[in-house]
Amino acid sequence: MSDSKKRQALPTGAERELQIYALGLSGGKPSVPMPLDLLEQKAKEILPPRAYDYVAGGAGGEDTMRANREAFYDWRIVPQMLRDVSKRDLSVELLGARLPAPVLLGPVGAQEIVHNDADVASARAAASLGLPFVLSTVSSRSMEEVAQSAAKVAESPRWFQLYWGKNPELTASMVQRAERAGYSALVVTLDTHSLGWRERDLHHGYLPFMLGQGLANYFSDPVFRGLLPQAPEQNPAAAIQLWGSLFSNAALTWKDIGFLRQHTRVPIILKGILHANDAARALDAGVDALIVSNHGGRQVDGSVGALDALPGAVREVNGRVPVLFDSGIRRGADVFKALALGARAVLLGRLYMWGLAVAGEEGVRDVLLNLVADLDLTMALSGYTCCRELDASALCRSDSREPLCQPQL
Ligand SMILES: Cc1cc2nc3c(=O)[nH]c(=O)nc-3n(C[C@H](O)[C@H](O)[C@H](O)COP(=O)(O)O)c2cc1C
């Protein structure tokens, strides 16, 4: 069977609505609650409190998490009428691949704390819809296992996210393993050389990695194993301790990016850019794309809302490389606003974790289908047929309610 046969075409918003209403006629429901507050509430009921808090929480007083959402409220869509929106195409080109919609599953570590099938379920759900999946360095299953399992569903882009630690041989080993396993881009997360001050996790005294969760890529790595006197299976405590001593590297600087270039041929994407100066440095470093993100508010409390940082980064990049966005995406309108402000595509974090917690692979797939359907309807009802058409003239600031530019009539 060809990939396109195994892969489910993304339904339009109206088709998805009809599927759900038809299901309702026979007393059925999608695998996940439709209102997002109920989805998160259901996940909260299912998960142990410390696992729920690990996913839901952020740094300090969680001001940055709030700022992420408030940044979306500051913009309003200004719909335009009578523009023949009967045929729509949500696909976008990204690093040589055409995605059926501008949505990726972002890197989320230690997924086993919300569901046993963890990263395998998420990667399979993404593959079934042809959407990219970004595997975290601190995944619960090894990068090879996730790649094999997802490829059985359908071929769709898989990227590897790197937490760049202290041991260069280990970093090189992970990067090369990822390339061999078919991960077609390297996402280097810059904002987590230390864990943010996360009050909820500190309150529970809980960090999944200290229990050996999320360390599959380390425990399966030949360089990491070679640094241990006994295998991780025999002496997990020593392996966890070694992980703790190597995980992060606060000494890295822009000069170090060259090291990664020497060890991989795949595109390099920097995640965690907020300052326009850093967008300029990223271009100087010759990277292939960047992700404007504040890690979902998990790192610096009181940081700028990620969407507020997007226009400055987009201006600086000026079309030279794609700019992606995450932190706070929940609904179609959020994706619309991020694209209108210059993002090529967006990544999801907590949103798909709630789907995974509630219904595993099917839950992640339903979350994706719902988000894309919502985006499709938002575009159609606002007068747009494809992502390329979106720019800031589609929006106004919520305090002015005036379009930024005069719409083209
Ligand atoms: C539980 C959890 C674990 C995460 N793990 C990683 C990770 O391993 N690597 C990474 O680059 N980002 C990680 N992130 C950040 C996400 O990739 C993304 O930036 C963030 O979740 C976006 O914010 P949102 O969830 O509010 O949409 C994690 C986020 C959450 C919620």
Side-chain angles (χ1 to χ4, degrees), residues 94 269 273 279 283 288-293 309-311 313-326 338-339 341-347:
L94 187 55
I269 302 165
I273 301 290
L283 290 175
D288 301 278
L290 45 92
I291 305 177
V292 171
S293 163
L310 180 62
V314 167
R315 244 191 322 274
E316 191 64 46
V317 168
N318 196 17
R320 281 170 284 181
V321 298
V323 177
L324 310 185
F325 173 84
D326 78 35
L339 297 187
L341 293 175
R344 179 75 61 87
V346 303
L347 293 84

Side-chain angles (χ1 to χ4, degrees), residues 6 17 52 106 114 138 141 205 239 313 354 408:
K6 285 186 280 182
E17 285 176 332
Y52 168 76
V114 306
V138 285
R141 305 290 183 80
W354 303 142
Q408 306 267 308

